[in-house]
Amino acid sequence: MAAQAQRKARVFSRREIEGQISSGKAIVIVNDKVLNVGAWMPYHPGGDKAMRHMIGRDATDEVTRFHSSQTLELMGRYQIGRIEGRWTNFLPPIQGGKFRTQKELEKLSEEEYMDSSSSSDHSSASSASSANQSPIFEPADRAMSVRQRNTTSVARTSSPSSSVSSISLEEPSDSPRMSVLDRRTQQELDFDKAKYPSTDPKTQANITQKYRDLQDKIQAHGLYDCNYAAYGVECLRYGTFTALFLYALFSGWYIMSAIPLAFVWHQMTFVVHDAGHMGITHDFTTDTTIAMFVASYLGGMSAGWWKFNHNVHHLVTNDPEHDPDIQYIPIFAVTHRFLQSLTTTYYERVMEYDAVAKILVRIQHYTYYPIMLFARFNLYRLSVEYLLSGKGPKKGPAWWHRYFEMIGMMVFWTWYGYGVVYKAIPDNFSRFWFVLVSHALTSPLHVQITLSHFAMSTTDLGIHESFAQKMLRTTMDVDCPQWLDFFHGGLQFQAIHHLYPRIPRHNLRETQKLVQEFCNEVDIPYALYGFVDGNKQVIGKLADVARQAAILAECQRTMAAEGDYGLH
């Protein structure tokens, strides 16, 4: 015990932590404690990718908001030391960060190291040419898409003149693509820098402290306590529409019966979301079992896949290269960044802006709602791929989840596919329309999910930006009357949910008042739109990117015809 206490009391320097990460250790800072979480990654119920985005960072807010007090206590077993003073984040390896080896670090004097760290701290990442000066750098053989992302971060967080060097790293300054796409990137960066508080450490530290004070206030108001009476009302609603579905089905109103079934699926998805965030009982096993049962046995989808995907989304919200919830190429592009081929760290492949994408993106503001009608079918595909590929944890408390959900899938397709569609419905015409209507009428859910993020910022303001500011900058809330809350299922308070994901959805409206006060205090704009206006924002964003795609295509055609590759 004494040895363990001594180990945990060890104070790590920034140089030592950099050396630890360079040797392959997964070092995360939580409440000034240095954690080596590499041994936990195979066991983490939410997948390893979410953890990898926190390596080298102070993940106090991210970790404490997502985990119960019991889980936070268990993290103590991974503590290897502590830090003193304010921590400045590294760029995680999964996002392109590179770290000098222990031998390289030993060659530097303390003054030289502080100079190189200061240079790195000024920007979220440095260029390939600064590899000998900074603990975070881009090697010469990095993929073009990653180089561009990191160099544009330099343009954001340093002086305006640095944007010139960022262009030279990507491709020649006379490139027409640079004039079309990168100028747009700079415009969006400048817009965010003008709209939101400065990302200097002092300002962001103040926002973080106010955000943590708000957490204490929310707990004091009892807003983490689940309103089980509200869930009683929800269950009555689910039961009523399930009865209507069965009555219509066995009365021979086959196509009509699809309507109440779609409503049940739509509403039960909110239960999966609540339970997946431990927002019902706050017990991991109980809530996860609820989520998996509802998702797999009643809905034919995997809650495990959702958690693997959704946790990453919550940590790197709206980042084109890292957030799977906005990576819909070739169907949609929510930012001009997708008009060049980017590498996705989630799917681990290149998202090609190919011939199909060039056609679909230019009409995406017209195809958005029709495609949303069929989005549920894509969730089946993603769920099956996740379970069959075995991406979930194979060890630890979640080892059995995959098998539980695979059985759930078989149960679902037995009662729905065989029992309802094949046996209860007598003809193919009715079967076709029953399946189509039951799935298409769940589309408001998919619109709701994309509504909260598609129209919001996709820029990266650098390593100093606080968790609270990033969530509010990339997420929109939807204003609606209280009686309509059941229809939105708490997803209309998505910005608040991103700040405090474990708050039960029936308490989010009350939490909204406190968050608005916080936003006013720290001068962060709180994005709140009506449902119609929010949809207009999304369609407008899709139309804007479609126009940019058309402009880029026209430039390329003109250059090809004239043989001119100069700056336009």
Side-chain angles (χ1 to χ4, degrees), residues 165-407:
S165 62
S166 73
I167 289 177
S168 65
L169 285 174
E170 171 59 26
E171 51 186 301
S173 60
D174 61 351
S175 166
R177 174 177 291 183
M178 295 305 300
S179 66
V180 175
L181 298 183
D182 281 29
R183 286 184 181 179
R184 178 68 183 208
T185 297
Q186 192 62 52
Q187 289 173 358
E188 293 184 359
L189 295 172
D190 291 341
F191 177 81
D192 274 10
K193 288 166 64 178
K195 183 176 181 180
Y196 293 91
S198 169
T199 55
D200 70 84
K202 183 178 180 180
T203 299
Q204 293 301 309
N206 177 63
I207 291 173
T208 296
Q209 186 57 53
K210 297 288 186 183
Y211 170 61
R212 293 174 184 175
D213 292 343
L214 178 58
Q215 160 75 2
D216 295 336
K217 187 182 296 186
I218 288 172
Q219 286 184 317
H221 279 70
L223 295 176
Y224 277 96
D225 300 332
C226 185
N227 183 350
Y228 292 111
Y231 273 105
V233 174
E234 299 287 351
C235 289
L236 288 174
R237 186 180 295 121
Y238 308 150
T240 299
F241 278 87
T242 299
L244 288 174
F245 156 63
L246 294 173
Y247 177 79
L249 179 67
F250 291 110
S251 296
W253 304 334
Y254 303 118
I255 300 175
M256 185 68 68
S257 70
I259 298 175
L261 177 59
F263 182 85
V264 172
W265 280 345
H266 173 264
Q267 292 289 298
M268 293 297 280
T269 303
F270 303 140
V271 177
V272 177
H273 186 254
D274 296 342
H277 281 291
M278 293 188 295
I280 299 178
T281 70
H282 300 306
D283 176 75
F284 170 74
T285 301
T286 303
D287 277 358
T288 302
T289 302
I290 293 172
M292 291 190 297
F293 177 78
V294 173
S296 299
Y297 291 75
L298 304 182
M301 293 181 290
S302 167
W305 160 79
W306 175 83
K307 286 175 71 72
F308 191 88
N309 175 288
H310 198 66
N311 287 349
V312 174
H313 160 69
H314 266 266
L315 297 175
V316 288
T317 309
N318 267 27
D319 189 306
E321 288 181 278
H322 308 303
D323 183 1
D325 274 16
I326 64 168
Q327 295 175 345
Y328 294 112
I329 284 292
I331 299 172
F332 298 129
V334 299
T335 170
H336 66 282
R337 293 279 308 284
F338 288 116
L339 304 185
Q340 52 198 324
S341 297
L342 296 179
T343 299
T344 162
T345 58
Y346 180 82
Y347 294 108
E348 299 179 355
R349 60 176 173 81
V350 176
M351 297 177 288
E352 296 284 355
Y353 185 59
D354 55 18
V356 175
K358 290 177 181 178
I359 295 173
L360 294 180
V361 169
R362 291 177 63 178
I363 58 172
Q364 63 182 0
H365 46 306
Y366 299 114
T367 61
Y368 172 68
Y369 291 114
I371 287 175
M372 289 296 104
L373 294 174
F374 304 98
R376 189 176 181 89
F377 292 105
N378 187 50
L379 300 186
Y380 292 143
R381 177 185 67 83
L382 292 169
S383 296
V384 171
E385 286 182 358
Y386 171 82
L387 293 174
L388 293 182
S389 63
K391 290 183 179 178
K394 301 177 180 63
K395 305 175 182 179
W399 71 267
W400 56 278
H401 291 182
R402 179 191 181 200
Y403 306 103
F404 184 77
E405 291 199 303
M406 291 178 76
I407 294 172

Side-chain angles (χ1 to χ4, degrees), residues 449-470:
I449 293 170
T450 58
L451 179 64
S452 299
H453 299 291
F454 270 22
M456 298 301 289
S457 173
T458 57
T459 60
D460 179 0
L461 293 185
I463 58 176
H464 292 308
E465 185 177 29
S466 63
F467 173 75
Q469 178 168 307
K470 182 175 178 61

